[in-house]
Amino acid sequence: MGLPSLDPFSSSARHKVWRADELGLADAQVIGTGHAALDAQLPGGGWPVGAMTELLQSAPEAHAWQLLLPALAQAVQGGAGPVALIGAPHEPFGPSLAAGGLPIESLLWVRSEAPAARLWACEQALRCAEVAAVLAWLPQARVGELRRLQLAAAQHESLLFVFRPANAAASTSPARLRLQLMACEGDRTQVDVHILKRRGPPLASPIQLPARSQRMTALLAASQLRRKLLRQQEGVAQPGEGATVVRLDIFSGKRHALDRIALAA
């Protein structure tokens, strides 16, 4: 029996070789992001399972839920277990997440300001088979610490998202996928998604995604109208033309991750 061909130009060899000018194939399971334009630019067409995805942005809570909610809801509805939030900057706003398919009882919120405690909690969550996904806010994490989290995600085939400040874009990272999220200039309804690292060629221009879901947009519009009517009824002077502050937690007295400032129409 002859030996198998080792010809690097054979059709089978060419099929297995990834070229840097082509979008790579996923070498593990992926979960669709819920955003068709983004899926089209990611290897395998979704978030990598068993790998770290790094999200960089100037405000730690900005755009996080709108970007990740479809995939997290899919994972939880599939019976994969709860979603662990490590060091989330604000309490999640339950009604809005539930409207997007992620019930508040499926969230585990670990509150800690100490960087070492956050890293420890993140590793423990990744090792827990009951956890569907881990979202960790780690602004001070070093490369070695991130590499340890990447290894834990790979060993336990976990879905891991790490949030870091925008200035971390200049540093190296072991993350399989790195995205930078920025508000679209001149259009508050859109967010620019820059792909900094993927298995494939650099993306020349950012992907534009809605900054808010249709449900959130409708909720903000209703809240804005309700406040305007209340002020008119109470005879309160209207604020200067331009902006009205709309808080989604006006009845609870707490600050939530989905608080927003809505521009007056």
Side-chain angles (χ1 to χ4, degrees), residues 66 96 109 114 116 128 189:
Q66 172 60 14
S96 180
W109 185 22
C128 181
T189 66

Side-chain angles (χ1 to χ4, degrees), residues 77-93:
Q77 291 168 4
V83 173
L85 311 179
I86 313 297
H90 305 300
E91 180 182 350
F93 185 61

Side-chain angles (χ1 to χ4, degrees), residues 2-7:
L3 295 175
S5 173
L6 299 179
D7 181 5

Side-chain angles (χ1 to χ4, degrees), residues 14-132:
R14 287 197 303 270
H15 178 72
K16 297 179 181 179
V17 172
W18 168 64
R19 296 175 175 82
D21 60 348
E22 298 177 352
L23 185 62
L25 299 176
D27 53 7
Q29 178 187 357
V30 300
I31 293 181
T33 68
H35 309 283
L38 181 57
D39 284 343
Q41 298 298 334
L42 299 182
W47 303 120
V49 178
M52 179 195 304
T53 295
E54 194 174 8
L55 302 174
L56 311 178
Q57 47 192 358
S58 56
E61 75 281 5
H63 315 303
W65 290 113
Q66 172 60 14
L67 183 67
L68 302 182
L69 185 55
L72 297 178
Q74 177 186 344
V76 169
Q77 291 168 4
V83 173
L85 311 179
I86 313 297
H90 305 300
E91 180 182 350
F93 185 61
S96 180
L97 297 182
L102 187 64
I104 192 66
E105 58 269 20
S106 66
L107 298 179
L108 298 175
W109 185 22
V110 179
R111 303 176 64 178
S112 177
E113 296 298 328
R118 290 190 184 188
L119 287 167
W120 181 87
C122 189
E123 288 190 70
Q124 301 309 307
L126 290 171
R127 293 191 176 102
C128 181
E130 301 297 326
V131 173

Side-chain angles (χ1 to χ4, degrees), residues 234-256:
E234 297 171 358
V236 178
Q238 294 294 313
E241 183 178 359
T244 299
V245 176
V246 178
R247 292 181 58 86
L248 303 184
D249 57 338
I250 55 177
F251 300 112
S252 68
K254 296 180 180 180
R255 188 178 183 189
H256 293 284

Side-chain angles (χ1 to χ4, degrees), residues 171-188:
S171 62
T172 60
S173 171
R176 177 81 58 84
L177 178 65
R178 298 186 87 192
L179 306 180
Q180 185 165 15
L181 312 179
M182 304 175 64
C184 182
E185 293 186 10
D187 188 355
R188 289 174 59 90

